[in-house]
Amino acid sequence: MMPPAPELTLPEELLLLALDPQRGKPYCPNRFLEYATAGAVLRELELQGRVTGQGGRIRVVSPLAPPDPLLAQVLGSLSAPAAGGLAGGVDTRRWVRQSGRYVEELCLEHLVRRSVLRRETHRLLGLLPYHRHPAADPALSLAVRDRFAAAEAAGFQDPRGRTLAALVSAVGLSGAVARGGLRDRWAMRGLVDEEWTAHAVYRNVRQDRANRNRRRSSSGGGGSGDG
C-alpha cells in the first residue's frame, strides 16, 4: 500500500503544478510564479478565516496563528486588525510584488524539508549559483495535476479549484497545466477578475510585461526610419 499523500496548501499545490517534475524548472517566468505563490498564500489564509481582501487591501480579521508554520509566518508579517474595524490594511498588489520572492522561498524550503521537492544547485556560466526543484516523487505532482484536471472538467466549482485556476491563468500557465481546449482556458481567464488575489497577481504580471515592452521599444526603436 502506498503511503498517504501529504496534505498540501494552496501555494504548495500551485508550485507542484507550475514546476516541471523532472527538471524542477517553472513553466512560466519565475518572477510571475513568485507573485502567484504570494497570492495563493493570501487566499489560503482567507479560506482559513485569517484575512480578507476588500477594496484592494488585505486585512487581518483573526491574528490567531494557523498550525502551518509557513502560513503563521506570513500572517505575522501582515498588519494586525485595526481598532476601527476594516480601516487600514495592506495594499494587495504592492504586498504581492514586494513579498513574492520571500514567500516563494519559504514555500519551496517547506516542501524540500517535507521531502516533497528536492533542491538541486546549478551554476550559471560556472559561476552564479541558482536552484532547481524537481519532484521527490513525480507521482505526487501527477496526482496534483489529475486533481486540477478533474476540477477543470467540473467547471471549477469548489473555491480552491477556482483560485488555482485563476492564479494559473494570471501568470500564463494555462497552456502547460490545463487539459481542455481554448474555451476552457478563456473560462479560466474569466476567473482572474473574480478572485481578488489572482487579480492582484495579474496586475503585477501586466506591469512587468509593460515595463519589458517599454525597454524593448526604447532600445530598439529610437531612430526614425525613412520607410
Side-chain angles (χ1 to χ4, degrees):
M1 179 180 297
M2 293 186 62
E7 186 174 346
L8 299 171
T9 62
L10 269 173
E12 291 170 343
E13 283 200 68
L14 175 72
L15 285 168
L16 290 182
L17 284 171
L19 294 172
D20 183 312
Q22 302 297 330
R23 297 187 299 160
K25 182 179 179 180
Y27 292 115
C28 67
N30 192 63
R31 185 60 174 153
F32 295 176
L33 184 54
E34 291 171 0
Y35 299 150
T37 306
V41 167
L42 291 178
R43 183 69 170 115
E44 182 72 48
L45 287 170
E46 182 184 40
L47 290 171
Q48 295 188 17
R50 264 60 179 198
V51 306
T52 187
Q54 297 178 16
R57 304 189 73 79
I58 313 158
R59 295 174 177 87
V60 176
V61 294
S62 174
L64 183 65
D68 186 287
L70 185 149
L71 296 176
Q73 193 167 349
V74 173
L75 182 64
S77 72
L78 297 169
S79 299
L86 291 179
V90 178
D91 183 271
T92 308
R93 184 194 61 79
R94 185 177 297 118
W95 186 88
V96 164
R97 189 169 194 84
Q98 294 176 347
S99 302
R101 180 170 301 176
Y102 163 74
V103 171
E104 187 198 45
E105 288 176 353
L106 282 179
C107 290
L108 289 170
E109 180 64 34
H110 194 54
L111 287 168
V112 170
R113 285 201 308 267
R114 294 170 62 198
S115 298
V116 175
L117 296 177
R118 294 183 290 109
R119 173 165 291 154
E120 295 179 350
T121 301
H122 303 266
R123 290 189 178 274
L124 181 64
L125 301 176
L127 297 172
L128 301 175
Y130 65 95
H131 299 299
R132 289 283 184 254
H133 294 88
D137 180 7
L140 179 57
S141 293
L142 180 60
V144 169
R145 285 177 172 270
D146 286 344
R147 283 200 299 272
F148 186 87
E152 181 184 2
F156 298 111
Q157 297 296 316
D158 68 288
R160 297 178 71 87
R162 291 175 73 83
T163 298
L164 279 174
L167 291 169
V168 160
S169 182
V171 297
L173 276 169
S174 302
V177 173
R179 295 184 183 175
L182 185 60
R183 178 178 297 180
D184 289 340
R185 287 197 286 262
W186 272 111
M188 291 170 61
R189 175 60 187 88
L191 296 175
V192 173
D193 294 330
E194 299 178 14
E195 297 281 334
W196 63 281
T197 57
H199 184 64
V201 169
Y202 179 69
R203 288 179 64 196
N204 280 298
V205 169
R206 188 173 57 188
Q207 179 181 333
D208 283 4
R209 286 174 173 160
N211 291 342
R212 182 183 59 193
N213 289 337
R214 279 195 295 269
R215 287 194 297 269
R216 286 178 175 174
S217 297
S218 62
S219 64
S224 59
D226 292 332

